[in-house]
Amino acid sequence: MKVATLKEGGRDGTLVVVSRDLAVCATVPRAARTLQAALDHWHDCEAELREVYRLLNDRQLDRATPFHAAAAASPMPRAYQWADGSAYLHHAELLRKARKAEMPQSLYSDPLMYQGGSDSFIGPEDDILVADEAWGVDFEGEVAVITDDVPMGVSPAAAGRHVKLVLLVNDVSLRNLIPGELAKGFGFYQSKPATAFSPVAVTPDELDAAWDGGRVHLPLVCHVNGQEFGRPDAGADMNFDFPALIAHAARTRELEAGSIIGSGTVSNRDPERVGCCCIAERRMIETIAEGAPKTPFLRFGDRVRIEMFDSQGRSIFGAIDQKVAPHRTG
């Protein structure tokens, strides 16, 4: 099943079920007005949502309307929790190697995670608004899951049952602001502006054999200004799967329905073959190989596209397709 949220009906938007081919959609007011409401009562409304999905795919729902990604907010326009992991340790190794920093051994056994701003996500085709190009604008292509209620102390073996939806992420980073923030010893804040998610979120069964219960074994395809930047396999080299990330996030607190857990930047150990899902990683590879980076960070007018396709070449989640634009204050 595929769901999305339209930019209408208030801050949390209007929930729609979307056909498999992403062509048409329908509201489900009897089941739930918003995706948060659906997740709060998933057991009660899932059957009705799936029936609408069946009718949409069979083109038997008279009230169906065309689905346009530009009219969509992020599936969760805001969420109670957005926690982003760093599950691909190759990515972390590269960034530390380039600045001649040691990789903490604890990262190989205990996931790294930060709590991002979740009060205001941006839509999949909304501009990335930045006041200053000198901040080092970067995209980060990721996969994420949305959970139902997760009890504190859940085990990784049980955590997988709490994954209700899967979606894609552009976790925008302002790279030149990060060192100063990390030097304070309290983590990211200004260096992590609003996050964008794919137009559509899908139930794990929609991924068929590509979902193994904890990972999505498909390439995450990233373009910058129409040129392919990378297509690493999201299932390969993922040191911590989503159940492990969920269990880590819930070690000392419960997670409420609608919590979003991210994978961190998708990265494979053969970047020369598959490319990268963020500019910083490519710059680190260039620095290691040549002594200095060559690839610039994003500038005003640059466009990023992040998408994932099934084995038949069909877009699963729709595309995150964003342009970097200046933000004017005052």
Side-chain angles (χ1 to χ4, degrees):
M1 177 173 62
K2 300 188 177 187
V3 296
T5 295
L6 300 182
K7 293 178 176 178
E8 56 186 53
R11 289 190 177 190
D12 295 307
T14 298
L15 173 65
V16 291
V17 177
V18 183
S19 60
R20 181 171 287 114
D21 61 6
L22 307 178
V24 295
C25 66
T27 58
V28 282
R30 284 198 317 173
R33 190 182 63 81
T34 68
L35 182 52
Q36 181 62 59
L39 290 160
D40 285 340
H41 305 283
W42 191 259
H43 179 76
D44 299 323
C45 68
E46 182 183 9
E48 183 173 345
L49 298 179
R50 287 188 178 276
E51 176 60 12
V52 171
Y53 185 58
R54 183 189 69 79
L55 294 172
L56 284 170
N57 290 331
D58 292 342
R59 297 300 193 267
Q60 293 180 351
L61 196 65
D62 293 338
R63 59 186 180 84
T65 58
F67 177 71
H68 301 292
S74 282
M76 299 286 293
R78 55 182 176 173
Y80 293 117
Q81 177 86 255
W82 158 231
D84 198 16
S86 184
Y88 299 87
L89 294 184
H90 176 253
H91 175 74
E93 290 167 353
L94 276 177
L95 268 61
R96 282 167 172 78
K97 183 177 181 180
R99 63 175 188 262
K100 297 180 173 57
E102 291 294 324
M103 185 78 166
Q105 287 302 306
S106 62
L107 291 186
Y108 291 97
S109 58
D110 195 35
L112 183 66
M113 184 172 285
Y114 85 94
Q115 191 170 36
S118 62
D119 57 328
S120 180
F121 299 132
I122 55 176
E125 295 193 9
D126 290 350
D127 287 346
I128 300 168
L129 297 176
V130 181
D132 191 343
E133 288 179 336
W135 289 346
V137 186
D138 198 359
F139 72 97
E140 293 192 57
E142 307 183 12
V143 182
V145 299
I146 305 177
T147 73
D148 61 5
D149 291 315
V150 181
M152 183 172 69
V154 68
S155 68
R161 296 197 296 269
H162 296 283
V163 174
K164 298 305 169 190
L165 295 166
V166 184
L167 66 171
L168 305 182
V169 187
N170 181 13
D171 182 41
V172 180
S173 290
L174 304 177
R175 296 294 183 185
N176 293 338
L177 299 185
I178 289 177
E181 287 205 302
L182 294 185
K184 296 176 182 178
F186 219 48
F188 304 119
Y189 192 83
Q190 293 178 341
S191 53
K192 287 290 188 178
T195 305
F197 294 86
S198 52
V200 167
V202 311
T203 49
D205 60 287
E206 197 69 28
L207 298 166
D208 295 324
W211 175 254
D212 67 1
R215 300 174 176 86
V216 181
H217 292 270
L218 288 170
L220 185 60
V221 183
C222 299
H223 287 79
V224 175
N225 295 328
Q227 298 295 314
E228 186 173 298
F229 201 87
R231 53 170 59 240
D233 189 318
D237 303 315
M238 188 181 186
N239 296 75
F240 302 101
D241 64 11
F242 281 110
L245 293 174
I246 293 168
H248 178 81
R251 182 184 179 191
T252 61
R253 68 182 79 174
E254 64 182 23
L255 306 180
E256 304 305 316
S259 292
I260 308 174
I261 307 295
S263 67
T265 306
V266 176
S267 177
N268 287 171
R269 291 192 175 276
D270 188 4
E272 292 187 1
R273 180 174 65 86
V274 298
C276 306
C277 279
C278 75
I279 294 172
E281 184 168 311
R282 177 173 286 185
R283 286 169 61 89
M284 294 307 103
I285 293 169
E286 293 166 348
T287 299
I288 292 166
E290 304 173 36
K294 298 187 302 182
T295 304
F297 290 120
L298 299 173
R299 302 183 68 85
F300 295 144
D302 286 347
R303 183 172 291 277
V304 173
R305 187 178 179 93
I306 300 170
E307 200 164 9
M308 185 174 277
F309 302 90
D310 65 16
S311 59
Q312 299 181 50
R314 298 172 300 195
S315 183
I316 299 171
F317 305 90
I320 300 172
D321 193 346
Q322 298 180 283
K323 181 179 67 176
V324 180
H327 175 253
R328 307 300 184 191
T329 59

